[in-house]
Amino acid sequence: MPKIDALESGSSAQRNGLNHQAIEDYLKTIFALAEFETPVSTSRIAEARDVKPGSVTSMLQRLAKLNLVHYEKHYGVTLTEAGEKIALEVIRHHRLLELYLNEALGFSWDEVHEQADILEHVISEKLEERIAHYLGNPKFDPHGDPIPDKDGLIESIPMVPLVETAVGTTAQVARIQDDANSEMLRYLAELGLTPGNIIRILDIAPFDGPFTIEVNGEVKVIGNAVAAAILVTS
């Protein structure tokens, strides 16, 4: 992983570790939000990280001094090349860990996000590559999120939210957008709405009404909010 240079010294190794972790977390958040809007607004980052906008502004100013982001007040933020490289490495760690925890250690897909959030900052590059090799250099994590390769490249597959599909559509579940929502993940697993499964849209009620779908030969009804979290491919 690229070194984060010019960090202010803390009072202990633990403090310095927390500084690095906070920086990596912000870069990862900005990268994820940039999939949907760019530049990314301070308010969106605050919402995603559940912190006050003032705290976000302070961190963005710090990241700008480290040449990890381009930041302008009232405009938003984008990652620099250095910032994006760090974000992709942390994301690679996180998604490899999620898959390893799921496949090798038996964690369910609703448990792995929290564990990977802790471990992603501390694993070595050697361990990362051992995990990748053990898993067969996978391209996707348990939630369908693409895993960057060791060069930071991500495989791109056209996907659309389930809410944008039409009645009569047959599609494959490809990705769950909110992989931190363990309650929803458990619910989706119960319904069979996991990556790789085929679904058919039977009916969509008007005015944001529920979706009636067929999955694994069974008819299910899901709300609009759940349908919005599911990305599918044709």
Side-chain angles (χ1 to χ4, degrees), residues 136-152:
N137 295 307
K139 295 184 181 296
F140 301 95
D141 75 6
H143 313 108
D145 294 318
I147 300 173
D149 68 16
K150 61 183 179 180
D151 296 318

Side-chain angles (χ1 to χ4, degrees), residues 130-195:
R130 287 286 181 92
I131 291 173
H133 179 73
Y134 173 85
L135 294 171
N137 295 307
K139 295 184 181 296
F140 301 95
D141 75 6
H143 313 108
D145 294 318
I147 300 173
D149 68 16
K150 61 183 179 180
D151 296 318
L153 300 176
I154 296 180
E155 182 167 327
S156 178
I157 296 178
M159 304 178 192
V160 295
L162 182 57
V163 290
E164 295 180 10
T165 59
V167 173
T169 299
T170 298
Q172 183 177 53
V173 178
R175 184 178 182 184
I176 308 302
Q177 296 198 77
D178 188 0
D179 65 353
N181 189 334
S182 57
E183 185 176 352
M184 185 180 69
L185 290 174
R186 286 192 294 271
Y187 176 64
L188 291 174
E190 290 173 2
L191 296 177
L193 292 171
T194 54

Side-chain angles (χ1 to χ4, degrees), residues 109 173 176 188-189 191-195 197 199 213 215 222 226 230:
W109 79 328
V173 178
I176 308 302
L188 291 174
L191 296 177
L193 292 171
T194 54
N197 279 352
I199 61 177
I213 62 176
V215 55
I222 60 173
V226 173
I230 301 171

